[in-house]
Amino acid sequence: MCRVEKSERKRDMGGILKGESRGVEKQLKSPSRMKLWMIRATTSVLLWTCVVQLTAIGETWGPRVLNVWPPCFNRESAAASSVVQDNVPSMPARVLPPKRVYKNNGYLMVSCNGGLNQMRAAICDMVAIARYLNVTLIVPELDKTSFWADPSEFQDIFDVDHFITSLRDEVRILKELPPRLKRRVELGRVLSMPPISWSDMSYYHNQILPLVQKYKVVHLNRTDARLANNGQSVEIQKLRCRVNFSALRFTSQIEELGKRVIKLLRQNGPFLVLHLRYEMDMLAFSGCAQGCNEEEVEELTRMRYAYPWWKEKIINSDLKRKDGLCPLTPEETALTLRALDIDPSMQIYIAAGEIYGGERRMASLASAYPKLVRKETLLESSDLRFFQNHSSQMAALDYLVSLESDIFVPTYDGNMAKVVEGHRRFLGFKKTVLLNRSLLVDLIDQYSSGSLSWDEFSAAVKESHADRMGGPTHRLVIPDRPKEEDYFYSNPEECLQPSAFDPLLSST
């Protein structure tokens, strides 16, 4: 019996041990979530302990370490730096004009045409129109298809952020349309049209505003000379001036380079800017070919026919010259400057592109005035690298230099000549010699034929230009003939000092 009990006891113990062994094996073989949790918990405790210990050590040793660190990093240095910063005068924050609040009637897109100054005047007109139609103006698109083929965008020439913020109390200006309307334009669903030239504000209220309200977006695709010179309210005229003389600021890159050119010129005394509009495009457009050889005349004629929007094709160059409709040649310019007693030692800055005929045509002018300079001779080629093939940006440099010159002499009354003339009037009637070309070519022909002596020629030139030096004068008004009136941007009379005008001064 004892043996039986003993054998049963062994069997029971074997079963228990065998069962336990199987349970352990099962636990070892299956993934232990508990074990994974324990490892994570232990790691977290260790990390937290390290953080606490490091914090304690930092509080104990930190000040000692910082005290022996280089002075620029210690607390005394930081305090000294704070004192220095407090002593430096802070620049006053720019005060922006308050936003004008009004019901938006829609959006106005504009595409400017022409060269820099033609587009500049157009932008001023479009801002005034947008203001008085209570519409949102989209930053204007600049001409890229004209003779100059300049790919520059608005922001490449003008400070676009200054343009937008400086006018925010007058008109809302956006860099682009809201997405929904932008998509509509991209699909070609937009009304595009050229407004009628020399229109007053009533035309825009009666004809353009209803279209904006109907279509939400209107695109004006030609903007040159679209707002009348005269008959506008003083508020409109002053807004045009504000845009031109304040809001349209060139980019910092153009401004800084312009200042450098002016500084280089000033180092050598006073200087005259000669806007010598004797470039290929002007001669081809006008048909003026005095002094050109047969090959050059043929080249200019081919170019005139190549541009279909230049409507006049068959031109009598001699008749046009006698009517004063041609730019003075470099040879005629040299005689005129000498007759006006311009000092031969004076610096003459040529504000122009490439002169047609090159050195051959410039020889007489260079002989009379040896100190001929231009931006390309004053600056390094690297300075102008970013401006190459960007005629409007190059023209912007010439514009800045022209404003600061002691004397400004344009040889043709194109857009640059007119806009610079008006800007110099705004700056205090700076000396601008407004050449009477029809009279000049007649006097030059008489002198060249021997009918006039040099003294007689010079006296006649000076007498005829005594009152053409950019002084105060009332803008000429010719009802129903706006093209023959004085251009608003050449004489923005409403924006000039009233005390400068003699009430008895007649219109000229």
Side-chain angles (χ1 to χ4, degrees):
M1 187 168 178
C2 292
R3 288 181 181 176
V4 174
E5 290 177 357
K6 186 175 183 181
S7 62
E8 288 178 354
R9 198 179 301 120
K10 281 184 178 180
R11 191 164 52 247
D12 293 341
M13 288 297 295
I16 293 171
L17 289 174
K18 188 175 181 181
E20 288 177 353
S21 175
R22 288 177 180 174
V24 171
E25 286 178 1
K26 188 177 180 180
Q27 290 179 358
L28 289 174
K29 289 180 181 179
S30 63
S32 177
R33 295 185 180 181
M34 183 65 70
K35 183 177 180 181
L36 184 61
W37 181 86
M38 289 296 296
I39 292 172
R40 289 179 177 176
T42 304
T43 304
S44 300
V45 171
L46 288 173
L47 288 175
W48 180 251
T49 304
C50 291
V51 170
V52 173
Q53 291 296 327
L54 288 173
T55 304
I57 293 172
E59 291 175 352
T60 304
W61 295 97
R64 298 183 187 180
V65 173
L66 290 176
N67 284 334
V68 297
W69 205 254
C72 58
F73 290 95
N74 63 30
R75 295 180 179 178
E76 294 179 1
S77 175
S81 175
S82 176
V83 172
V84 171
Q85 290 179 0
D86 291 341
N87 291 333
V88 174
S90 59
M91 294 296 292
R94 182 186 173 194
V95 179
L96 298 178
K99 286 185 179 181
R100 178 169 172 258
V101 179
Y102 61 95
K103 179 184 176 183
N104 180 33
N105 288 320
Y107 297 84
L108 183 65
M109 298 175 63
V110 298
S111 293
C112 303
N113 56 296
L116 173 68
N117 293 285
Q118 183 172 316
M119 293 191 292
R120 183 187 184 105
I123 292 167
C124 299
D125 288 350
M126 293 300 111
V127 170
I129 291 165
R131 163 64 176 82
Y132 284 91
L133 296 187
N134 286 334
V135 299
T136 297
L137 178 68
I138 306 303
V139 169
E141 179 186 17
L142 303 188
D143 192 344
K144 302 177 184 64
T145 60
S146 66
F147 167 80
W148 300 275
D150 187 341
S152 299
E153 302 288 354
F154 186 99
Q155 62 270 19
D156 297 323
I157 300 173
F158 300 108
D159 185 337
V160 65
D161 293 323
H162 173 76
F163 175 69
I164 293 172
T165 57
S166 65
L167 294 169
R168 55 189 248 153
D169 60 330
E170 292 284 0
V171 62
R172 183 181 179 220
I173 304 175
L174 299 178
K175 292 182 180 180
E176 58 182 21
L177 285 167
R180 180 177 58 84
L181 296 176
K182 185 179 179 181
R183 178 62 177 164
R184 185 195 300 178
V185 172
E186 291 171 348
L187 294 174
R189 298 202 300 264
V190 62
L191 176 64
S192 184
M193 60 177 288
I196 297 174
S197 299
W198 309 113
S199 299
D200 60 19
M201 200 59 74
S202 64
Y203 162 79
Y204 289 94
H205 270 291
N206 299 332
Q207 302 295 324
I208 304 300
L209 181 57
L211 296 174
V212 176
Q213 292 173 325
K214 179 179 179 180
Y215 295 102
K216 300 304 177 186
V217 183
V218 168
H219 175 223
L220 301 182
N221 54 28
R222 290 183 65 86
T223 56
D224 60 313
R226 302 296 155 163
L227 189 58
N229 294 312
N230 300 294
Q232 309 303 313
S233 69
V234 173
E235 290 77 16
I236 291 174
Q237 303 291 57
K238 288 189 173 182
L239 179 56
R240 295 165 91 179
C241 291
R242 178 178 170 186
V243 181
N244 191 21
F245 304 134
S246 178
L248 283 178
R249 187 168 67 189
F250 294 123
T251 64
S252 58
Q253 185 182 18
I254 294 174
E255 292 276 350
E256 289 303 318
L257 202 55
K259 289 176 183 177
R260 195 191 311 175
V261 173
I262 294 166
K263 182 178 179 180
L264 291 170
L265 288 165
R266 286 280 176 227
Q267 289 174 353
N268 297 314
F271 65 95
L272 177 150
V273 166
L274 180 65
H275 183 42
L276 190 61
R277 194 67 169 95
Y278 203 77
E279 298 141 318
M280 186 178 182
D281 67 297
M282 173 50 64
L283 301 184
F285 172 77
S286 64
C288 300
Q290 288 76 26
C292 297
N293 57 39
E294 291 184 7
E295 291 181 0
E296 290 171 336
V297 172
E298 290 178 1
E299 182 181 39
L300 295 172
T301 303
R302 286 197 302 271
M303 183 179 181
R304 184 162 64 253
Y305 277 90
Y307 288 88
W309 51 89
W310 292 355
K311 297 180 181 179
E312 195 174 9
K313 303 299 182 182
I314 301 175
I315 300 173
N316 186 316
S317 180
D318 292 331
L319 288 178
K320 203 159 189 180
R321 174 178 176 268
K322 288 182 179 179
D323 290 337
L325 300 177
C326 288
L328 292 185
T329 67
E331 297 87 356
E332 293 168 342
T333 302
L335 286 172
T336 301
L337 295 180
R338 285 178 55 205
L340 290 169
D341 288 340
I342 300 298
D343 191 338
S345 65
M346 192 173 198
Q347 296 176 98
I348 307 291
Y349 177 91
I350 305 296
E354 184 178 354
I355 302 303
Y356 193 64
E359 293 183 3
R360 175 178 65 85
R361 298 305 303 271
M362 291 293 288
S364 59
L365 184 59
S367 175
Y369 293 92
K371 292 185 178 180
L372 288 181
V373 296
R374 52 194 307 149
K375 51 189 171 292
E376 291 85 355
T377 61
L378 290 170
L379 298 169
E380 299 292 336
S381 58
S382 58
D383 295 324
L384 294 170
R385 184 174 66 253
F386 295 105
F387 298 86
Q388 298 299 330
N389 302 319
H390 293 81
S391 59
S392 291
Q393 295 184 46
M394 297 286 263
L397 284 176
D398 285 341
Y399 186 94
L400 290 172
V401 179
S402 298
L403 288 185
E404 294 298 320
S405 64
D406 297 280
I407 307 173
F408 177 64
V409 183
T411 61
Y412 186 74
D413 55 352
N415 286 291
M416 177 166 175
K418 292 175 179 177
V419 177
V420 170
E421 175 193 345
H423 204 151
R424 287 172 66 85
R425 288 178 183 274
F426 181 78
L427 294 175
F429 302 99
K430 302 175 78 171
K431 190 172 184 179
T432 302
V433 183
L434 307 172
L435 300 177
N436 185 336
R437 291 189 305 280
S438 59
L439 176 63
L440 275 174
V441 297
D442 181 53
L443 292 174
I444 288 171
D445 288 346
Q446 292 184 55
Y447 169 71
S448 300
S449 66
S451 301
L452 287 177
S453 68
W454 174 257
D455 289 340
E456 290 171 331
F457 170 68
S458 179
V461 170
K462 282 185 279 193
E463 181 181 0
S464 61
H465 288 82
D467 60 349
R468 298 176 65 89
M469 296 292 174
T473 182
H474 292 298
R475 193 169 58 246
L476 178 63
V477 180
I478 306 178
D480 302 323
R481 287 189 291 167
K483 290 184 179 180
E484 299 176 33
E485 295 179 329
D486 287 342
Y487 190 39
F488 172 80
Y489 292 100
S490 66
N491 187 13
E493 184 180 341
E494 294 87 343
C495 311
L496 307 180
Q497 293 288 345
S499 60
F501 292 87
D502 182 348
L504 299 179
L505 191 64
S506 60
S507 299
T508 58

